[in-house]
Amino acid sequence: PRSAPGGPWHERVARWEGGPIRKVVRRARGARFEATAALDGVDVRHRGAHVRAFVPGPIDRVPPELARLQVGGTELPDVGEPAPPVPGGLVVVLTPLAELTTGKAAAQCGHAAHLAWRTLVDELDRWRGTGFATCVTLTDADGWRAVGRRARIRVADGGFTEVAPGTVTAVADVVR
């Protein structure tokens, strides 16, 4: 409701969705992370992780609480095993054809989930019923081609950071 027409975030979200979508992943701990709690956004805790997603704004006017956070250092030593897909949940598959840092991969997964939330309206209630369960998986080149042919969500990168413009970095769909 906060981003719906008439909601307090609507104008900022609509402006962001109306142009090339830029995403930045940053990390923080302690006081710097706590300082971001005052900013508009969504706070999620799940299985030991604590994540905040902030209402979008112009890239040249990042709030100081976010500007102080680290952009690098988000690499994971071991990606572990993906959670199993949940019927009605979203599966995001990352490309094996481009090397993505952990931060870039996280941003692309978030973008895929956002696009799914905005475009898969027929399945939205079913996905909501799973608590917005989302599974992120990796595949080889053959698997990527196969899943890419049937996935309804495609994230084509703008080319501002790590990959060439137009590179499809993630695909997603709801588990039937």
Side-chain angles (χ1 to χ4, degrees), residues 23 104 108 155-169:
K23 306 154 306 284
K104 180 69 168 183
Q108 301 309 75
V155 178
D157 198 78
F160 296 110
T161 56
E162 299 176 17
V163 298
T167 300
V168 176
T169 54

Side-chain angles (χ1 to χ4, degrees), residues 127-153:
W127 186 24
R128 183 180 289 114
T130 70
F132 292 105
T134 302
C135 170
V136 176
T137 65
L138 305 172
T139 189
D140 60 17
D142 291 336
W144 175 251
R145 284 188 284 281
V147 75
R149 282 191 294 273
R150 63 181 185 269
R152 291 178 288 166
I153 301 298

Side-chain angles (χ1 to χ4, degrees), residues 1 9 16 55 69 80 85 94 107 112 114 118-119 123 126-128 138-139 147 152 157 165 167 171 175-176:
W9 301 349
W16 179 67
V55 177
L69 305 184
L94 290 168
H114 178 81
R118 283 292 193 203
T119 61
E123 286 104 340
R126 190 165 175 234
W127 186 24
R128 183 180 289 114
L138 305 172
T139 189
V147 75
R152 291 178 288 166
D157 198 78
T167 300
V171 297
V175 178
R176 299 190 195 286

Side-chain angles (χ1 to χ4, degrees), residues 48-142:
H50 188 178
V51 177
R52 290 193 174 120
F54 302 97
V55 177
I59 201 86
D60 61 348
R61 289 191 303 215
V62 176
E65 296 89 348
L66 295 179
R68 289 188 203 106
L69 305 184
Q70 293 178 334
V71 176
T74 58
E75 290 72 25
L76 298 174
D78 179 13
V79 296
E81 291 298 315
V86 173
L90 188 71
V91 174
V92 178
V93 182
L94 290 168
T95 182
L97 306 179
E99 195 167 321
L100 307 176
T101 63
T102 303
K104 180 69 168 183
Q108 301 309 75
C109 290
H111 194 162
H114 178 81
L115 290 172
W117 179 68
R118 283 292 193 203
T119 61
L120 300 178
V121 292
D122 292 340
E123 286 104 340
L124 191 57
D125 285 338
R126 190 165 175 234
W127 186 24
R128 183 180 289 114
T130 70
F132 292 105
T134 302
C135 170
V136 176
T137 65
L138 305 172
T139 189
D140 60 17
D142 291 336

